[in-house]
Amino acid sequence: MSDTYNFDSGEEAEIPETLTLPLDAWHRARGGRMVEFAGYWMPVQYEGIMGEHLWTRENAGLFDVSHMGQLVVSSEDEDQQDAVTALEALMPADLSILKVGRQRYSLLLNETGGIIDDLMITRWPGGFFLIVNGATKWDDIGHLREFLPDDITLTHRDDFALLALQGPRAAEALASFGIAPAQPQIVPVDQLSFMQAGPYVWNGVELHISRSGYTGEDGYEIAVPAESAEALAEMLCTHEAVKPIGLGARDSLRMEAGLPLYGHDLNEDIDPISAGLSFAISKRRRAEGGFPGADRILTGLSQGTETVRVGLKLSGRQAAREGAEVYSGEDKVGVLTSGGFAPSLGCPIAMADVPAALGAPGTELFIDVRGKKLPATVAAMPFVPHRYFRKGAAK
């Protein structure tokens, strides 16, 4: 802990120091430029955001996302029905039909249907594995402990790191290192399909691997014991297609993929429908409700919402950042929630919440950047097509 002075109270207050991840020294040794993010020191770039972004689109990028929370929720009953019931009371997923080894994107919701966090949830033989955002994980843990019944077990796997290998050559690279299925029924790692997961073993080390990610590219997220993270990262980077990639390119990649970032494009005042996340409301839950804010969310599904999250393409090369005001003619109609330059497109892009009447692709708007109004056009998202691997999909 480090002591800092609290100017409001006139008293000293203790504030936690910025934390380090298991790969902190590894990043620094490779020239990572470290910044504070979500309470941790993390690499924002190594060789440059533009180059790292394009490398990931063409090859495979290795991201350290160990700041994210890895949680296990389980119950004592063999079929985990008690855990299903408890989690379905907090999120709009249909977990009753989620098979072991399958993953879903879902949302923790507050009582009015606002988004507490977005997350990935995987069915395990003995429960559910949740990956939550790093900036919200402690609040998420508090929320779950408050609202899960006493007979439901919540485990924070803070002894595991999390790596993401993303890009069109990710499967090729990962399959070249002798990572083996931990159970007979688990397929080889390069045969996993998008949103499928399983236990694997590498050099006697337990890994949990899912074929998913946050870039719009094919790729994997790999949970690994913290003490083995550096050896795994070092091994992966011996493949000619793999380079370590920082937070800067992770952000530009996810913007091109049209994916929202919690705390920017999503928060507790925004509901899933206006955020463009209606796909996260499962069919059965739409019919039955029973999740927080169901009335508001189901009304939004049937009648529409006042605002919608849209993508914007800007004219020229000057980027607009989060917080810039959006105008329709002389009328302010919104604020950017994300914005930056899209290396794959060669132009600036952004996201904003605007009135639903202005949400159609092709709508012309303006963004105020330091007093200059830059022309922008509402664009369909994703800006860059997703390239997830789905078995049986047309090629």
Side-chain angles (χ1 to χ4, degrees), residues 55 74 82 93 131 156 169 172 176 194 200 215 221 229 231 237 280 285 289 299 314 350 373:
W55 179 271
S74 60
D82 290 347
I131 297 180
H156 180 199
R169 298 184 67 186
E172 167 200 337
S176 70
F194 179 58
Y200 291 82
T215 62
E221 291 197 334
C237 285
R285 309 307 304 280
T299 297
L314 284 68
K373 286 190 176 180

Side-chain angles (χ1 to χ4, degrees), residues 112-228:
T112 62
I115 301 171
I116 295 173
D117 198 9
D118 62 336
L119 56 90
M120 302 292 278
I121 182 167
T122 305
R123 183 72 180 258
W124 275 6
F128 293 88
F129 178 39
L130 284 65
I131 297 180
V132 302
N133 281 296
T136 59
K137 68 181 176 184
W138 299 113
D139 288 338
D140 290 355
I141 290 170
H143 182 82
L144 290 167
R145 284 180 172 158
E146 179 178 0
F147 289 102
L148 289 174
D150 291 342
D151 59 347
I152 301 297
T153 300
L154 173 64
T155 304
H156 180 199
R157 300 209 323 169
D158 55 357
D159 55 340
F160 272 69
L162 188 66
L163 305 179
L165 185 65
Q166 301 282 295
R169 298 184 67 186
E172 167 200 337
L174 196 59
S176 70
F177 290 113
I179 295 173
Q183 299 168 1
Q185 69 272 25
I186 304 299
V187 300
V189 70
D190 58 338
Q191 294 181 27
L192 285 172
S193 189
F194 179 58
M195 300 297 269
Q196 189 175 2
Y200 291 82
V201 177
W202 164 72
N203 284 351
V205 177
E206 168 196 358
L207 306 176
H208 180 268
I209 301 177
S210 66
R211 199 160 192 172
S212 58
Y214 193 51
T215 62
E217 293 291 337
D218 182 23
Y220 301 85
E221 291 197 334
I222 308 164
V224 54
E227 65 270 18
S228 300

Side-chain angles (χ1 to χ4, degrees), residues 342-366:
S344 304
L345 302 175
C347 69
I349 59 173
M351 298 181 198
D353 294 320
V354 302
L358 299 175
T363 301
E364 296 183 356
L365 300 171
F366 298 92

Side-chain angles (χ1 to χ4, degrees), residues 21 25 46 83 120 184 201 209 212 232 262 305 307 334 340 352:
L21 297 173
Y46 298 85
M120 302 292 278
V201 177
I209 301 177
S212 58
L232 180 61
Y262 194 85
T305 56
T307 63

Side-chain angles (χ1 to χ4, degrees), residues 247-278:
L247 284 173
R250 184 172 183 258
D251 193 50
S252 57
L253 288 160
R254 70 91 190 169
M255 279 197 293
E256 289 186 348
L259 302 175
L261 176 61
Y262 194 85
H264 301 262
D265 311 292
L266 307 176
N267 59 51
E268 289 203 44
D269 295 323
I270 296 175
D271 68 274
I273 311 308
S274 61
L277 302 176
S278 58

